[in-house]
Short mmCIF file of all heavy atoms in Angstrom, two decimals:
data_model
loop_
_atom_site.label_atom_id
_atom_site.label_comp_id
_atom_site.label_asym_id
_atom_site.label_seq_id
_atom_site.Cartn_x
_atom_site.Cartn_y
_atom_site.Cartn_z
N ALA K 287 -2.30 -10.49 6.00
CA ALA K 287 -0.94 -10.07 6.26
C ALA K 287 -0.04 -11.25 6.56
O ALA K 287 1.13 -11.26 6.11
CB ALA K 287 -0.97 -9.08 7.44
N SER K 288 -0.55 -12.25 7.27
CA SER K 288 0.29 -13.36 7.61
C SER K 288 0.72 -14.18 6.37
O SER K 288 1.65 -14.98 6.44
CB SER K 288 -0.39 -14.28 8.65
OG SER K 288 -1.47 -14.96 8.05
N ARG K 289 0.04 -13.97 5.26
CA ARG K 289 0.37 -14.71 4.04
C ARG K 289 0.95 -13.80 2.95
O ARG K 289 0.97 -14.15 1.80
CB ARG K 289 -0.88 -15.43 3.55
CG ARG K 289 -1.24 -16.63 4.46
CD ARG K 289 -2.60 -17.16 4.20
NE ARG K 289 -2.90 -18.27 5.09
CZ ARG K 289 -3.33 -18.15 6.34
NH1 ARG K 289 -3.52 -16.97 6.87
NH2 ARG K 289 -3.59 -19.22 7.07
N GLY K 290 1.32 -12.60 3.33
CA GLY K 290 1.93 -11.65 2.41
C GLY K 290 0.99 -11.00 1.46
O GLY K 290 1.36 -10.48 0.41
N VAL K 291 -0.32 -10.95 1.82
CA VAL K 291 -1.35 -10.34 0.98
C VAL K 291 -1.70 -8.97 1.57
O VAL K 291 -1.86 -8.84 2.78
CB VAL K 291 -2.62 -11.20 0.90
CG1 VAL K 291 -3.73 -10.53 0.15
CG2 VAL K 291 -2.26 -12.57 0.28
N THR K 292 -1.85 -7.96 0.71
CA THR K 292 -2.21 -6.61 1.15
C THR K 292 -3.48 -6.18 0.36
O THR K 292 -3.49 -6.26 -0.84
CB THR K 292 -1.09 -5.62 0.89
OG1 THR K 292 0.09 -6.01 1.55
CG2 THR K 292 -1.47 -4.21 1.35
N LEU K 293 -4.44 -5.71 1.13
CA LEU K 293 -5.63 -5.09 0.54
C LEU K 293 -5.79 -3.70 1.20
O LEU K 293 -5.84 -3.58 2.40
CB LEU K 293 -6.91 -5.91 0.80
CG LEU K 293 -8.20 -5.30 0.27
CD1 LEU K 293 -8.19 -5.19 -1.24
CD2 LEU K 293 -9.41 -6.13 0.76
N ARG K 294 -5.79 -2.68 0.34
CA ARG K 294 -5.88 -1.32 0.88
C ARG K 294 -6.68 -0.45 -0.08
O ARG K 294 -6.79 -0.69 -1.27
CB ARG K 294 -4.52 -0.75 1.13
CG ARG K 294 -3.75 -0.42 -0.11
CD ARG K 294 -2.41 0.16 0.20
NE ARG K 294 -1.56 0.28 -0.99
CZ ARG K 294 -0.29 0.07 -1.02
NH1 ARG K 294 0.40 -0.17 0.08
NH2 ARG K 294 0.40 0.15 -2.16
N HIS K 295 -7.19 0.65 0.52
CA HIS K 295 -7.83 1.70 -0.23
C HIS K 295 -6.96 2.95 -0.05
O HIS K 295 -6.63 3.31 1.07
CB HIS K 295 -9.24 1.96 0.26
CG HIS K 295 -9.94 3.03 -0.57
ND1 HIS K 295 -9.93 4.34 -0.21
CD2 HIS K 295 -10.58 2.91 -1.70
CE1 HIS K 295 -10.62 5.02 -1.12
NE2 HIS K 295 -11.03 4.19 -2.05
N ARG K 296 -6.58 3.58 -1.15
CA ARG K 296 -5.67 4.72 -1.09
C ARG K 296 -6.33 5.93 -1.70
O ARG K 296 -6.93 5.84 -2.77
CB ARG K 296 -4.36 4.41 -1.85
CG ARG K 296 -3.42 5.56 -1.89
CD ARG K 296 -2.06 5.15 -2.44
NE ARG K 296 -1.38 4.39 -1.41
CZ ARG K 296 -0.19 3.78 -1.61
NH1 ARG K 296 0.37 3.80 -2.78
NH2 ARG K 296 0.41 3.13 -0.63
N VAL K 297 -6.16 7.08 -1.03
CA VAL K 297 -6.63 8.34 -1.51
C VAL K 297 -5.44 9.25 -1.72
O VAL K 297 -4.65 9.47 -0.78
CB VAL K 297 -7.65 9.01 -0.55
CG1 VAL K 297 -8.08 10.38 -1.07
CG2 VAL K 297 -8.86 8.13 -0.32
N GLU K 298 -5.31 9.78 -2.96
CA GLU K 298 -4.22 10.69 -3.26
C GLU K 298 -4.70 11.72 -4.31
O GLU K 298 -5.12 11.32 -5.40
CB GLU K 298 -3.01 9.93 -3.82
CG GLU K 298 -1.86 10.79 -4.19
CD GLU K 298 -0.69 10.02 -4.71
OE1 GLU K 298 -0.79 8.80 -4.91
OE2 GLU K 298 0.36 10.64 -4.90
N ASP K 299 -4.67 12.96 -3.93
CA ASP K 299 -5.08 14.06 -4.86
C ASP K 299 -6.42 13.78 -5.47
O ASP K 299 -6.63 13.96 -6.68
CB ASP K 299 -4.03 14.23 -5.97
CG ASP K 299 -2.70 14.77 -5.48
OD1 ASP K 299 -2.71 15.48 -4.46
OD2 ASP K 299 -1.68 14.51 -6.11
N GLY K 300 -7.38 13.34 -4.66
CA GLY K 300 -8.75 13.10 -5.15
C GLY K 300 -8.89 11.73 -5.85
O GLY K 300 -10.03 11.39 -6.16
N THR K 301 -7.84 11.04 -6.13
CA THR K 301 -7.96 9.70 -6.75
C THR K 301 -8.15 8.67 -5.67
O THR K 301 -7.47 8.67 -4.62
CB THR K 301 -6.64 9.38 -7.54
OG1 THR K 301 -6.46 10.38 -8.54
CG2 THR K 301 -6.74 8.01 -8.22
N ARG K 302 -9.15 7.79 -5.92
CA ARG K 302 -9.45 6.74 -4.94
C ARG K 302 -9.28 5.39 -5.57
O ARG K 302 -9.97 5.08 -6.53
CB ARG K 302 -10.88 6.94 -4.40
CG ARG K 302 -11.09 8.23 -3.71
CD ARG K 302 -12.56 8.54 -3.48
NE ARG K 302 -12.70 9.84 -2.82
CZ ARG K 302 -12.77 10.02 -1.54
NH1 ARG K 302 -12.69 8.99 -0.70
NH2 ARG K 302 -12.91 11.25 -1.05
N LEU K 303 -8.33 4.62 -5.06
CA LEU K 303 -8.03 3.32 -5.64
C LEU K 303 -8.05 2.21 -4.58
O LEU K 303 -7.51 2.40 -3.47
CB LEU K 303 -6.62 3.33 -6.25
CG LEU K 303 -6.40 4.02 -7.57
CD1 LEU K 303 -4.92 3.98 -7.94
CD2 LEU K 303 -7.20 3.36 -8.66
N TRP K 304 -8.55 1.06 -4.99
CA TRP K 304 -8.38 -0.16 -4.21
C TRP K 304 -7.17 -0.86 -4.81
O TRP K 304 -7.04 -0.97 -6.03
CB TRP K 304 -9.58 -1.06 -4.28
CG TRP K 304 -10.66 -0.58 -3.37
CD1 TRP K 304 -11.73 0.25 -3.69
CD2 TRP K 304 -10.79 -0.88 -2.00
NE1 TRP K 304 -12.49 0.46 -2.57
CE2 TRP K 304 -11.97 -0.21 -1.51
CE3 TRP K 304 -10.03 -1.66 -1.10
CZ2 TRP K 304 -12.34 -0.31 -0.18
CZ3 TRP K 304 -10.46 -1.71 0.23
CH2 TRP K 304 -11.60 -1.05 0.66
N GLN K 305 -6.29 -1.38 -3.95
CA GLN K 305 -5.11 -2.05 -4.37
C GLN K 305 -5.00 -3.41 -3.66
O GLN K 305 -5.14 -3.46 -2.45
CB GLN K 305 -3.84 -1.25 -4.12
CG GLN K 305 -3.86 0.06 -4.85
CD GLN K 305 -2.69 0.96 -4.44
OE1 GLN K 305 -2.40 1.07 -3.26
NE2 GLN K 305 -2.05 1.60 -5.44
N LEU K 306 -4.82 -4.45 -4.40
CA LEU K 306 -4.63 -5.78 -3.88
C LEU K 306 -3.28 -6.28 -4.33
O LEU K 306 -2.96 -6.29 -5.53
CB LEU K 306 -5.75 -6.72 -4.37
CG LEU K 306 -5.57 -8.20 -3.97
CD1 LEU K 306 -5.63 -8.39 -2.46
CD2 LEU K 306 -6.67 -9.04 -4.65
N LYS K 307 -2.45 -6.69 -3.35
CA LYS K 307 -1.12 -7.19 -3.68
C LYS K 307 -1.08 -8.69 -3.27
O LYS K 307 -1.38 -9.02 -2.09
CB LYS K 307 -0.03 -6.42 -2.95
CG LYS K 307 0.06 -4.96 -3.42
CD LYS K 307 1.22 -4.28 -2.79
CE LYS K 307 1.35 -2.85 -3.29
NZ LYS K 307 2.63 -2.24 -2.94
N LEU K 308 -0.74 -9.52 -4.25
CA LEU K 308 -0.70 -10.97 -4.01
C LEU K 308 0.71 -11.51 -4.25
O LEU K 308 1.37 -11.10 -5.19
CB LEU K 308 -1.66 -11.66 -4.99
CG LEU K 308 -3.12 -11.30 -4.85
CD1 LEU K 308 -3.91 -11.78 -6.06
CD2 LEU K 308 -3.70 -11.91 -3.58
N PRO K 309 1.18 -12.42 -3.35
CA PRO K 309 2.54 -12.96 -3.53
C PRO K 309 2.62 -13.68 -4.88
O PRO K 309 1.70 -14.33 -5.32
CB PRO K 309 2.65 -13.96 -2.39
CG PRO K 309 1.55 -13.68 -1.42
CD PRO K 309 0.48 -12.97 -2.21
N HIS K 310 3.81 -13.55 -5.51
CA HIS K 310 4.09 -14.23 -6.77
C HIS K 310 5.59 -14.47 -6.83
O HIS K 310 6.37 -13.72 -7.39
CB HIS K 310 3.65 -13.29 -7.93
CG HIS K 310 3.79 -13.92 -9.27
ND1 HIS K 310 3.03 -14.96 -9.72
CD2 HIS K 310 4.65 -13.66 -10.29
CE1 HIS K 310 3.39 -15.27 -10.94
NE2 HIS K 310 4.38 -14.52 -11.31
N GLY K 311 6.02 -15.57 -6.21
CA GLY K 311 7.44 -15.88 -6.10
C GLY K 311 8.16 -14.81 -5.29
O GLY K 311 7.73 -14.47 -4.21
N ALA K 312 9.24 -14.24 -5.84
CA ALA K 312 9.99 -13.17 -5.15
C ALA K 312 9.35 -11.82 -5.40
O ALA K 312 9.86 -10.81 -4.91
CB ALA K 312 11.43 -13.20 -5.64
N SER K 313 8.25 -11.76 -6.14
CA SER K 313 7.56 -10.54 -6.48
C SER K 313 6.18 -10.53 -5.89
O SER K 313 5.77 -11.46 -5.21
CB SER K 313 7.45 -10.38 -8.00
OG SER K 313 8.70 -10.56 -8.63
N ARG K 314 5.43 -9.49 -6.24
CA ARG K 314 4.03 -9.44 -5.92
C ARG K 314 3.28 -8.89 -7.12
O ARG K 314 3.77 -7.99 -7.82
CB ARG K 314 3.73 -8.53 -4.72
CG ARG K 314 4.36 -9.13 -3.45
CD ARG K 314 3.81 -8.63 -2.18
NE ARG K 314 3.81 -7.18 -2.00
CZ ARG K 314 3.19 -6.60 -1.00
NH1 ARG K 314 2.51 -7.27 -0.10
NH2 ARG K 314 3.21 -5.28 -0.90
N ILE K 315 2.10 -9.43 -7.35
CA ILE K 315 1.23 -8.90 -8.38
C ILE K 315 0.31 -7.87 -7.71
O ILE K 315 -0.29 -8.14 -6.68
CB ILE K 315 0.38 -10.01 -9.03
CG1 ILE K 315 1.29 -10.97 -9.77
CG2 ILE K 315 -0.66 -9.44 -9.97
CD1 ILE K 315 0.55 -12.21 -10.33
N GLU K 316 0.27 -6.70 -8.31
CA GLU K 316 -0.61 -5.63 -7.76
C GLU K 316 -1.76 -5.36 -8.71
O GLU K 316 -1.55 -5.12 -9.91
CB GLU K 316 0.21 -4.36 -7.55
CG GLU K 316 -0.62 -3.25 -6.96
CD GLU K 316 0.17 -1.98 -6.68
OE1 GLU K 316 1.18 -2.07 -5.95
OE2 GLU K 316 -0.18 -0.90 -7.19
N LEU K 317 -2.95 -5.45 -8.20
CA LEU K 317 -4.17 -5.19 -8.95
C LEU K 317 -4.76 -3.88 -8.42
O LEU K 317 -4.83 -3.69 -7.21
CB LEU K 317 -5.17 -6.35 -8.81
CG LEU K 317 -4.64 -7.70 -9.20
CD1 LEU K 317 -5.65 -8.80 -8.82
CD2 LEU K 317 -4.31 -7.80 -10.68
N GLU K 318 -5.22 -3.03 -9.35
CA GLU K 318 -5.85 -1.76 -8.94
C GLU K 318 -7.18 -1.61 -9.57
O GLU K 318 -7.36 -1.85 -10.74
CB GLU K 318 -4.98 -0.57 -9.33
CG GLU K 318 -3.68 -0.45 -8.57
CD GLU K 318 -2.90 0.82 -8.93
OE1 GLU K 318 -3.15 1.40 -10.00
OE2 GLU K 318 -2.05 1.17 -8.13
N VAL K 319 -8.14 -1.13 -8.73
CA VAL K 319 -9.52 -0.83 -9.18
C VAL K 319 -9.92 0.49 -8.55
O VAL K 319 -9.78 0.65 -7.34
CB VAL K 319 -10.46 -1.95 -8.78
CG1 VAL K 319 -11.89 -1.65 -9.18
CG2 VAL K 319 -10.05 -3.31 -9.30
N ALA K 320 -10.45 1.38 -9.38
CA ALA K 320 -10.97 2.65 -8.80
C ALA K 320 -12.20 2.35 -7.97
O ALA K 320 -12.93 1.39 -8.23
CB ALA K 320 -11.31 3.61 -9.95
N GLY K 321 -12.39 3.13 -6.87
CA GLY K 321 -13.57 2.93 -6.08
C GLY K 321 -13.52 3.74 -4.78
O GLY K 321 -12.49 4.18 -4.34
N THR K 322 -14.68 3.86 -4.17
CA THR K 322 -14.84 4.56 -2.93
C THR K 322 -14.42 3.68 -1.79
O THR K 322 -14.40 2.44 -1.94
CB THR K 322 -16.28 5.02 -2.74
OG1 THR K 322 -17.10 3.87 -2.57
CG2 THR K 322 -16.79 5.83 -3.92
N PRO K 323 -14.18 4.29 -0.58
CA PRO K 323 -13.76 3.44 0.55
C PRO K 323 -14.89 2.67 1.23
O PRO K 323 -14.62 1.93 2.17
CB PRO K 323 -13.17 4.47 1.47
CG PRO K 323 -13.86 5.75 1.18
CD PRO K 323 -14.11 5.70 -0.30
N ALA K 324 -16.10 2.79 0.74
CA ALA K 324 -17.22 2.16 1.43
C ALA K 324 -17.05 0.67 1.67
O ALA K 324 -17.28 0.19 2.75
CB ALA K 324 -18.54 2.41 0.62
N ARG K 325 -16.60 -0.06 0.62
CA ARG K 325 -16.33 -1.48 0.79
C ARG K 325 -15.47 -1.93 -0.38
O ARG K 325 -15.50 -1.38 -1.47
CB ARG K 325 -17.61 -2.31 0.87
CG ARG K 325 -18.34 -2.44 -0.39
CD ARG K 325 -19.54 -3.39 -0.23
NE ARG K 325 -20.49 -3.05 -1.27
CZ ARG K 325 -21.66 -2.51 -1.01
NH1 ARG K 325 -22.07 -2.30 0.22
NH2 ARG K 325 -22.47 -2.22 -2.00
N PRO K 326 -14.64 -2.97 -0.14
CA PRO K 326 -13.77 -3.49 -1.18
C PRO K 326 -14.57 -3.95 -2.38
O PRO K 326 -15.64 -4.57 -2.20
CB PRO K 326 -13.01 -4.62 -0.53
CG PRO K 326 -13.13 -4.39 0.93
CD PRO K 326 -14.46 -3.68 1.12
N PRO K 327 -14.10 -3.75 -3.60
CA PRO K 327 -14.81 -4.24 -4.79
C PRO K 327 -14.92 -5.75 -4.80
O PRO K 327 -13.95 -6.46 -4.44
CB PRO K 327 -13.94 -3.75 -5.96
CG PRO K 327 -13.03 -2.73 -5.38
CD PRO K 327 -12.90 -3.03 -3.94
N ALA K 328 -16.07 -6.24 -5.21
CA ALA K 328 -16.34 -7.70 -5.26
C ALA K 328 -15.32 -8.41 -6.11
O ALA K 328 -14.93 -9.56 -5.76
CB ALA K 328 -17.75 -7.95 -5.79
N GLU K 329 -14.81 -7.78 -7.16
CA GLU K 329 -13.85 -8.46 -8.05
C GLU K 329 -12.53 -8.72 -7.32
O GLU K 329 -11.83 -9.68 -7.64
CB GLU K 329 -13.64 -7.65 -9.33
CG GLU K 329 -13.12 -6.26 -9.09
CD GLU K 329 -13.45 -5.30 -10.22
OE1 GLU K 329 -12.77 -5.36 -11.26
OE2 GLU K 329 -14.38 -4.49 -10.02
N LEU K 330 -12.15 -7.87 -6.37
CA LEU K 330 -10.94 -8.14 -5.56
C LEU K 330 -11.23 -9.11 -4.43
O LEU K 330 -10.45 -9.98 -4.17
CB LEU K 330 -10.37 -6.84 -5.04
CG LEU K 330 -9.86 -5.82 -6.07
CD1 LEU K 330 -9.28 -4.61 -5.39
CD2 LEU K 330 -8.88 -6.46 -7.03
N VAL K 331 -12.37 -8.92 -3.74
CA VAL K 331 -12.70 -9.80 -2.62
C VAL K 331 -12.83 -11.25 -3.11
O VAL K 331 -12.42 -12.19 -2.46
CB VAL K 331 -13.98 -9.36 -1.91
CG1 VAL K 331 -14.43 -10.32 -0.86
CG2 VAL K 331 -13.78 -7.95 -1.32
N GLY K 332 -13.37 -11.43 -4.33
CA GLY K 332 -13.48 -12.75 -4.88
C GLY K 332 -12.18 -13.48 -5.03
O GLY K 332 -12.13 -14.74 -4.95
N LEU K 333 -11.12 -12.77 -5.21
CA LEU K 333 -9.77 -13.37 -5.36
C LEU K 333 -9.21 -13.81 -4.01
O LEU K 333 -8.20 -14.48 -3.95
CB LEU K 333 -8.82 -12.40 -6.00
CG LEU K 333 -9.19 -11.95 -7.44
CD1 LEU K 333 -8.24 -10.84 -7.93
CD2 LEU K 333 -9.14 -13.15 -8.40
N LEU K 334 -9.87 -13.41 -2.95
CA LEU K 334 -9.37 -13.67 -1.58
C LEU K 334 -10.09 -14.84 -0.85
O LEU K 334 -9.80 -15.14 0.31
CB LEU K 334 -9.49 -12.40 -0.72
CG LEU K 334 -8.66 -11.25 -1.23
CD1 LEU K 334 -8.99 -10.00 -0.40
CD2 LEU K 334 -7.20 -11.56 -1.16
N ALA K 335 -11.00 -15.49 -1.53
CA ALA K 335 -11.80 -16.52 -0.88
C ALA K 335 -10.99 -17.56 -0.14
O ALA K 335 -11.32 -17.96 0.96
CB ALA K 335 -12.75 -17.19 -1.91
N ALA K 336 -9.92 -18.06 -0.79
CA ALA K 336 -9.09 -19.08 -0.13
C ALA K 336 -8.40 -18.57 1.13
O ALA K 336 -8.14 -19.32 2.06
CB ALA K 336 -8.06 -19.60 -1.11
N TYR K 337 -8.12 -17.27 1.18
CA TYR K 337 -7.51 -16.64 2.34
C TYR K 337 -8.52 -16.39 3.44
O TYR K 337 -8.25 -16.56 4.63
CB TYR K 337 -6.77 -15.32 2.00
CG TYR K 337 -5.65 -15.51 1.01
CD1 TYR K 337 -5.79 -15.18 -0.30
CD2 TYR K 337 -4.41 -15.96 1.44
CE1 TYR K 337 -4.75 -15.27 -1.21
CE2 TYR K 337 -3.37 -16.10 0.55
CZ TYR K 337 -3.53 -15.74 -0.79
OH TYR K 337 -2.50 -15.86 -1.65
N LEU K 338 -9.64 -15.86 3.03
CA LEU K 338 -10.69 -15.42 3.99
C LEU K 338 -11.39 -16.59 4.68
O LEU K 338 -11.77 -16.50 5.83
CB LEU K 338 -11.72 -14.52 3.29
CG LEU K 338 -11.14 -13.21 2.74
CD1 LEU K 338 -12.24 -12.45 1.98
CD2 LEU K 338 -10.52 -12.34 3.81
N ARG K 339 -11.67 -17.63 3.92
CA ARG K 339 -12.39 -18.81 4.42
C ARG K 339 -13.61 -18.38 5.28
O ARG K 339 -13.78 -18.85 6.39
CB ARG K 339 -11.45 -19.68 5.26
CG ARG K 339 -10.32 -20.28 4.41
CD ARG K 339 -9.46 -21.25 5.18
NE ARG K 339 -9.11 -20.91 6.52
CZ ARG K 339 -8.01 -20.20 6.87
NH1 ARG K 339 -7.18 -19.81 5.96
NH2 ARG K 339 -7.74 -19.97 8.13
N GLY K 340 -14.43 -17.47 4.73
CA GLY K 340 -15.65 -17.05 5.37
C GLY K 340 -15.52 -15.91 6.35
O GLY K 340 -16.50 -15.37 6.80
N SER K 341 -14.30 -15.55 6.70
CA SER K 341 -14.11 -14.46 7.66
C SER K 341 -14.36 -13.11 6.98
O SER K 341 -14.13 -12.98 5.78
CB SER K 341 -12.68 -14.52 8.22
OG SER K 341 -12.53 -13.61 9.31
N LYS K 342 -14.82 -12.16 7.71
CA LYS K 342 -15.17 -10.84 7.19
C LYS K 342 -13.96 -9.93 7.19
O LYS K 342 -13.08 -9.98 8.09
CB LYS K 342 -16.25 -10.18 8.00
CG LYS K 342 -17.57 -10.96 8.03
CD LYS K 342 -18.22 -10.91 6.71
CE LYS K 342 -19.54 -11.67 6.74
NZ LYS K 342 -20.05 -11.97 5.45
N LEU K 343 -13.90 -9.03 6.22
CA LEU K 343 -12.84 -8.03 6.16
C LEU K 343 -13.22 -6.84 7.01
O LEU K 343 -14.41 -6.48 7.09
CB LEU K 343 -12.64 -7.54 4.75
CG LEU K 343 -11.99 -8.54 3.78
CD1 LEU K 343 -12.14 -8.09 2.34
CD2 LEU K 343 -10.49 -8.73 4.13
N GLN K 344 -12.23 -6.19 7.61
CA GLN K 344 -12.43 -4.99 8.39
C GLN K 344 -11.19 -4.09 8.24
O GLN K 344 -10.14 -4.58 7.87
CB GLN K 344 -12.68 -5.30 9.86
CG GLN K 344 -11.48 -5.91 10.54
CD GLN K 344 -11.76 -6.28 12.00
OE1 GLN K 344 -12.85 -6.67 12.33
NE2 GLN K 344 -10.74 -6.14 12.83
N ARG K 345 -11.38 -2.79 8.48
CA ARG K 345 -10.24 -1.91 8.45
C ARG K 345 -9.36 -2.21 9.68
O ARG K 345 -9.84 -2.24 10.81
CB ARG K 345 -10.66 -0.47 8.40
CG ARG K 345 -9.46 0.44 8.16
CD ARG K 345 -9.89 1.86 7.94
NE ARG K 345 -10.08 2.46 9.26
CZ ARG K 345 -10.47 3.70 9.48
NH1 ARG K 345 -10.84 4.47 8.46
NH2 ARG K 345 -10.63 4.15 10.72
N VAL K 346 -8.07 -2.41 9.44
CA VAL K 346 -7.17 -2.73 10.57
C VAL K 346 -6.10 -1.65 10.82
O VAL K 346 -5.49 -1.61 11.84
CB VAL K 346 -6.46 -4.09 10.33
CG1 VAL K 346 -7.46 -5.25 10.36
CG2 VAL K 346 -5.65 -4.12 9.04
N ALA K 347 -5.96 -0.72 9.86
CA ALA K 347 -5.02 0.35 10.01
C ALA K 347 -5.28 1.46 8.99
O ALA K 347 -5.81 1.20 7.91
CB ALA K 347 -3.55 -0.13 9.83
N ARG K 348 -4.90 2.67 9.37
CA ARG K 348 -5.00 3.81 8.45
C ARG K 348 -3.72 4.62 8.62
O ARG K 348 -3.31 4.97 9.69
CB ARG K 348 -6.22 4.67 8.85
CG ARG K 348 -6.56 5.71 7.81
CD ARG K 348 -7.95 6.27 8.09
NE ARG K 348 -8.10 7.52 7.36
CZ ARG K 348 -7.89 8.73 7.86
NH1 ARG K 348 -7.53 8.85 9.11
NH2 ARG K 348 -8.01 9.80 7.12
N LEU K 349 -3.02 4.82 7.48
CA LEU K 349 -1.71 5.43 7.48
C LEU K 349 -1.68 6.64 6.52
O LEU K 349 -2.27 6.62 5.47
CB LEU K 349 -0.64 4.46 7.00
CG LEU K 349 -0.60 3.08 7.68
CD1 LEU K 349 0.45 2.22 7.01
CD2 LEU K 349 -0.33 3.22 9.16
#
Side-chain angles (χ1 to χ4, degrees):
S288 70
R289 290 168 179 83
V291 175
T292 301
L293 177 63
R294 69 179 171 215
H295 183 266
R296 178 171 284 173
V297 177
E298 180 179 6
D299 291 332
T301 302
R302 298 168 182 267
L303 284 176
W304 281 94
Q305 298 172 317
L306 174 62
K307 295 185 178 194
L308 298 165
H310 184 70
S313 310
R314 295 201 304 171
I315 295 174
E316 181 177 305
L317 304 171
E318 290 185 341
V319 177
T322 67
R325 72 173 157 249
E329 60 204 282
L330 296 182
V331 175
L333 298 173
L334 297 173
Y337 297 103
L338 298 176
R339 297 186 317 270
S341 191
K342 299 290 182 195
L343 289 167
Q344 65 183 35
R345 189 172 81 182
V346 295
R348 190 166 164 266
L349 308 176

